């Protein structure tokens, strides 16, 4: 989240206290700068190919929100504040009490492709068939596809006053100008995660992951924009720039080699966390917030997340309403609620990802001043530049199909 997470295109994340026993996560984060808006401006989403249309011209299903006070939300694992003792999501419970809407929350998403491929036949059917969800969360590059295919419903922004709290740098992404069909949920980094005690040393670079004593104990992300993005940077290629097919394939060859040599145990979506929890893997290419959640859940401070010396990647995930939803206004109420700065800060404090909501940093100061200064939640432009963090550039439809097919062949998807 987990969110697993996510992944693929631009942004970031951080920490608070674990729901269990108020375990503080402030010790997980070092100093840092504020200026979140400046940080995200420095690595704003790359421009996706033109969508060639929007979903606004579609015939929408009848909205029954007024009589059916429910909303069904599909998200990534460990991507919402959770109380281990009560087995509930505190902010979601508060939403239900405030609005009288019953919310069903499902950790359905392991990676973008697998979840979209599962629901795509229903969304594309004529007429579309209900997928039993009113909100789903996809990374920028997949959100671009979904908007382009007109598989989401437009937002009534006039009914969503908190939407104006979206960071200015995220308001005019090219796959959804003016944010008429989506709102950023969270952003985050991909980098190296490992267990310091089990590994027995610091891991600073991708080369460190391929050490002989770690063979078969490494997991990497199935989101190729993160895994290959890191490998490309190690090879001196900027994934946010106009890299060539040959450069992409050189990174692909490196991952293929590491799989065949036995260095990489698994290529997974959010499920990679299970390998880390079980001890089958002790290091890998991971998403930032997941490692902090793992640290809190296992009460094991030896789990560490670092940006590789050669650089990390950045992505954003987006809330959208599927074309089949019959509870559109309930879904918009939910999205608007999570753009309240106080609520957004509470979520960010738990999930440890970069928060896209203006005012959340000030609210975080009330929760934990150290967290409010964390570069993993509120990164500055200088920090992002220093760490060489890049977004993976948008691919043309032809590149997307070609590269996705090549990646699937290598990882066996």
């Amino acid at each position: 989240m987990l969110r697993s997470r996510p992944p693929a295109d631009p942004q970031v994340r951080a920490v608070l206290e674990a729901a269990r026993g108020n375990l503080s996560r402030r010790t997980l984060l070092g100093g840092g700068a504020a200026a979140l808006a400046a940080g995200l401006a420095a690595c704003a989403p790359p421009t996706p190919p033109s969508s060639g249309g929007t979903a606004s011209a579609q015939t929408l299903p009848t909205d029954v929100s007024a009589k059916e006070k429910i909303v069904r939300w599909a998200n990534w694992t460990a991507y919402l504040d959770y109380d281990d003792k009560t087995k509930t999501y505190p902010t979601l419970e508060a939403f239900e009490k405030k609005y009288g809407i019953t919310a069903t929350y499902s950790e359905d998403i392991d990676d973008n492709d697998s979840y979209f491929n599962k629901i795509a036949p229903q969304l594309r059917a004529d007429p579309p068939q209900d997928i039993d969800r009113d909100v789903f969360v996809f990374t920028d590059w997949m959100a671009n596809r979904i908007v382009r295919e007109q598989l989401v419903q437009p937002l009534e922004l006039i009914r969503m006053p908190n939407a104006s709290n979206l960071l200015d740098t995220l308001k005019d992404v090219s796959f959804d100008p003016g944010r008429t069909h989506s709102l950023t949920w969270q952003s985050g980094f991909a980098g190296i995660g490992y267990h310091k005690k089990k590994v027995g040393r610091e891991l600073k670079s991708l080369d460190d992951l391929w050490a002989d004593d770690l063979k078969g104990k490494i997991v990497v992300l199935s989101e190729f924009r993160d895994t290959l993005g890191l490998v490309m940077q190690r090879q001196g290629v900027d994934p946010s720039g106009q890299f060539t097919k040959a450069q992409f394939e050189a990174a692909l060859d490196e991952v293929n080699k590491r799989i065949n040599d036995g260095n990489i145990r698994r290529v997974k979506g959010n499920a990679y966390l299970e390998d880390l929890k079980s001890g089958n893997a002790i290091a890998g290419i991971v998403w930032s917030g997941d490692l902090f959640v793992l640290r809190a859940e296992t009460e094991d401070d030896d789990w560490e997340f670092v940006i590789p010396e050669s650089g990390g990647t950045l992505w954003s995930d987006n809330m959208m309403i599927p074309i089949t939803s019959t509870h559109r206004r309930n879904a918009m109420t939910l999205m608007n609620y999570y753009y309240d700065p106080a609520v957004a800060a509470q979520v960010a404090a738990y999930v440890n990802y970069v928060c896209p909501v203006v005012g959340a940093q000030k609210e975080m100061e009330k929760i934990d001043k150290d967290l409010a200064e964390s570069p993993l939640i509120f990164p500055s432009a200088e920090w992002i530049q220093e760490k060489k963090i890049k977004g993976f550039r948008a691919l043309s439809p032809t590149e997307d199909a070609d590269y996705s097919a090549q990646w699937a062949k290598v990882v066996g998807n």
Side-chain angles (χ1 to χ4, degrees):
M1 59 288 247
L2 274 123
R3 185 199 93 35
S4 135
R5 233 153 96 337
D9 274 339
Q11 274 69 59
V12 208
R13 116 186 208 184
V15 175
L16 155 65
E17 35 180 62
R20 86 174 56 181
N22 293 322
L23 174 65
S24 175
R25 297 185 191 172
R26 70 179 65 194
T27 57
L28 304 183
L29 299 173
L36 174 59
L40 295 188
C43 48
T47 302
S50 172
S51 65
T54 68
S56 59
Q58 287 182 300
T59 300
L60 302 179
T62 300
D63 189 83
V64 296
S65 292
K67 64 179 181 181
E68 291 186 7
K69 307 298 285 185
I70 63 173
V71 63
R72 305 159 297 178
W73 184 4
N75 208 348
W76 302 72
T77 310
Y79 221 17
L80 186 63
D81 55 303
Y82 184 71
D83 188 327
D84 254 350
K85 292 181 178 178
T86 62
K87 308 299 181 186
T88 61
Y89 301 95
T91 58
L92 202 57
E93 281 207 324
F95 165 80
E96 292 180 314
K97 291 177 182 178
K98 182 174 183 176
Y99 294 102
I101 298 172
T102 299
T104 301
Y105 185 79
S106 306
E107 295 182 338
D108 292 335
I109 308 173
D110 187 57
D111 73 17
N112 286 283
D113 279 315
S114 63
Y115 184 65
F116 179 67
N117 290 340
K118 177 181 177 181
I119 62 175
Q122 292 163 272
L123 296 176
R124 291 169 173 159
D126 187 13
Q129 301 168 3
D130 187 13
I131 63 168
D132 197 34
R133 297 293 182 268
D134 302 301
V135 178
F136 50 28
V137 180
F138 284 104
T139 308
D140 282 344
W141 64 270
M142 181 60 83
N144 179 50
R145 287 189 196 172
I146 292 171
V147 172
R148 184 175 63 217
E149 290 194 38
Q150 302 182 18
L151 301 178
V152 291
Q153 300 189 36
L155 304 177
E156 296 175 90
L157 294 177
I158 196 171
R159 296 178 179 273
M160 304 171 67
N162 288 341
S164 63
N165 292 329
L166 177 66
L167 289 170
D168 285 343
T169 52
L170 298 176
K171 286 180 178 177
D172 287 309
V173 290
S174 57
F175 68 84
D176 187 17
R179 286 293 186 177
T180 58
H181 294 78
S182 67
L183 282 178
T184 303
W185 171 240
Q186 305 287 317
S187 302
F189 303 109
I192 293 172
Y194 67 103
H195 192 279
K196 291 184 289 187
K197 185 175 181 180
K198 292 177 181 178
V199 171
R201 59 187 180 278
E202 287 186 279
L203 300 183
K204 299 180 179 180
S205 71
L206 286 194
D207 293 342
D208 293 339
L209 285 180
W210 314 138
D212 288 342
D213 64 326
L214 297 181
K215 273 194 173 183
K217 300 176 183 179
I218 301 298
V219 289
V220 302
L221 298 168
S222 59
E223 293 284 350
F224 77 72
R225 289 162 177 82
D226 288 321
T227 294
L228 293 184
L230 294 186
V231 173
M232 290 169 74
Q233 285 173 290
R234 173 61 187 86
Q235 295 177 341
V237 178
D238 181 355
S240 68
Q242 293 303 312
F243 58 80
T244 65
K245 181 177 181 180
Q247 290 171 324
F248 174 88
E249 291 176 345
L252 193 67
D253 289 343
E254 173 70 4
V255 172
N256 191 37
K257 176 180 185 297
R258 298 304 174 181
I259 292 173
N260 292 334
D261 287 349
N263 295 94
I264 295 174
R265 170 185 175 81
R266 295 272 179 86
V267 180
K268 285 189 170 184
N270 257 153
Y272 76 86
L273 280 174
E274 297 307 316
D275 287 271
L276 297 178
K277 288 179 182 178
S278 68
N280 289 329
I282 59 176
I285 292 175
V286 306
W287 289 308
S288 53
D290 288 352
L291 262 286
F292 296 112
V293 171
L294 179 63
R295 192 172 182 177
E297 285 183 350
T298 61
E299 299 182 342
D300 187 344
D301 290 343
D302 279 314
W303 288 110
E304 186 80 6
F305 174 81
V306 297
I307 300 294
E309 293 174 335
S310 52
T313 60
L314 193 59
W315 42 261
S316 286
D317 290 332
N318 306 274
M319 296 182 286
M320 298 179 288
I321 302 174
I323 193 61
T324 55
S325 171
T326 54
H327 307 97
R328 180 165 62 108
R329 289 190 172 171
N330 290 345
M332 290 190 298
T333 300
L334 178 80
M335 294 164 72
N336 183 68
Y337 167 77
Y338 277 101
Y339 264 69
D340 180 310
V343 176
Q346 188 176 344
V347 173
Y350 180 84
V351 303
N352 313 315
Y353 284 106
V354 171
C355 179
V357 178
V358 172
Q361 185 173 17
K362 185 175 181 180
E363 292 295 331
M364 185 71 85
E365 290 175 355
K366 302 174 185 177
I367 299 172
D368 190 313
K369 291 182 184 281
D370 290 342
L371 294 181
E373 296 177 354
S374 168
L376 292 178
I377 309 176
F378 305 108
S380 68
E382 293 76 18
W383 189 85
I384 288 173
Q385 183 176 13
E386 176 191 347
K387 294 295 183 179
K388 306 171 192 171
I389 296 170
K390 305 283 188 179
F392 198 99
R393 76 162 168 85
L395 302 175
S396 70
T398 299
E399 286 177 318
D400 193 359
D402 180 18
Y403 295 171
S404 295
Q406 290 193 61
W407 174 248
K409 185 176 180 180
V410 166
V411 302
N413 290 345

